[in-house]
């Protein structure tokens, strides 16, 4: 189990489901359970994982605690893209990321790209023949909360 002392309530999305099932065998490695320890005293209600979810070894709400090197912003990726490829690349990204609004949430840093998403996007640009400057605008280490 890694040290999670830097996890704060403010890092968690508003729709985050907390887990309070202490006897779950996966609790020490589950970010949902670990995050329940950072709820401020003034917060008295919210979304929770119910105890029956922990029956057996396969909790459907288990989320492995994982820190990632997250990214956001696409301007640098598009710097060298030819005009004829811009629309197709942007549409492929929007489709992959879940639509126009979600694309801009990743572009503006409201959502962070996981390493797996970053790899998919870099490979997309490579398929179109681009190999130089395949970087996102910003990077930071963060908990994987998606």
């Amino acid at each position: 189990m890694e040290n999670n002392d830097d996890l704060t309530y403010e890092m968690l999305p508003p729709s985050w489901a907390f887990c309070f099932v202490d006897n779950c065998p996966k609790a020490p490695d589950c970010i949902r359970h670990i995050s329940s320890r950072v709820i401020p005293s003034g917060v008295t209600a919210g979304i929770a994982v119910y105890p029956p979810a922990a029956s057996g070894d396969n909790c459907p709400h288990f989320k492995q605690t994982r820190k990632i090197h997250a990214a956001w912003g696409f301007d640098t990726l598009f710097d060298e893209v030819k005009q004829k490829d811009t629309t197709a690349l942007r549409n492929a990204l929007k489709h992959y990321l879940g639509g126009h609004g979600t694309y801009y949430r990743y572009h503006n840093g409201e959502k962070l790209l996981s390493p797996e998403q970053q790899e998919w996007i870099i490979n997309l640009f490579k398929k179109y023949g681009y190999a130089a400057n395949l970087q996102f605008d910003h990077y930071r280490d963060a908990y994987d909360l998606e």
Side-chain angles (χ1 to χ4, degrees), residues 6-130:
D6 59 339
L7 181 67
T8 65
Y9 182 76
E10 292 72 28
M11 293 175 179
L12 303 168
S15 60
W16 186 251
F18 295 92
C19 179
F20 303 94
V21 184
D22 291 328
N23 64 345
C24 175
K26 294 188 173 206
D29 298 318
C30 182
I31 191 71
R32 295 190 186 285
H33 188 270
I34 292 166
S35 65
S36 69
R37 298 184 209 138
V38 300
I39 299 173
S41 59
V43 176
T44 58
I47 302 169
V49 175
Y50 295 162
S55 62
D57 288 338
N58 262 344
C59 175
H61 304 285
F62 173 74
K63 177 85 175 134
Q64 178 72 45
T65 302
R66 169 174 101 132
K67 287 185 182 177
I68 60 171
H69 193 59
W72 73 94
F74 305 118
D75 290 336
T76 305
L77 283 170
F78 280 96
D79 277 348
E80 305 296 322
V81 172
K82 295 174 185 167
Q83 184 67 34
K84 69 178 182 78
D85 295 329
T86 301
T87 301
L89 278 166
R90 192 165 280 121
N91 286 341
L93 277 174
K94 287 177 183 179
H95 180 76
Y96 172 69
L97 296 173
H100 181 81
T102 307
Y103 168 87
Y104 282 100
R105 290 179 70 201
Y106 283 106
H107 179 66
N108 295 326
E110 296 169 34
K111 290 181 72 78
L112 300 174
L113 295 163
S114 70
E116 295 81 11
Q117 290 171 310
Q118 294 171 46
E119 181 180 6
W120 188 93
I121 292 167
I122 296 298
N123 286 336
L124 174 67
F125 277 76
K126 286 179 179 177
K127 283 182 193 172
Y128 276 78
Y130 298 101

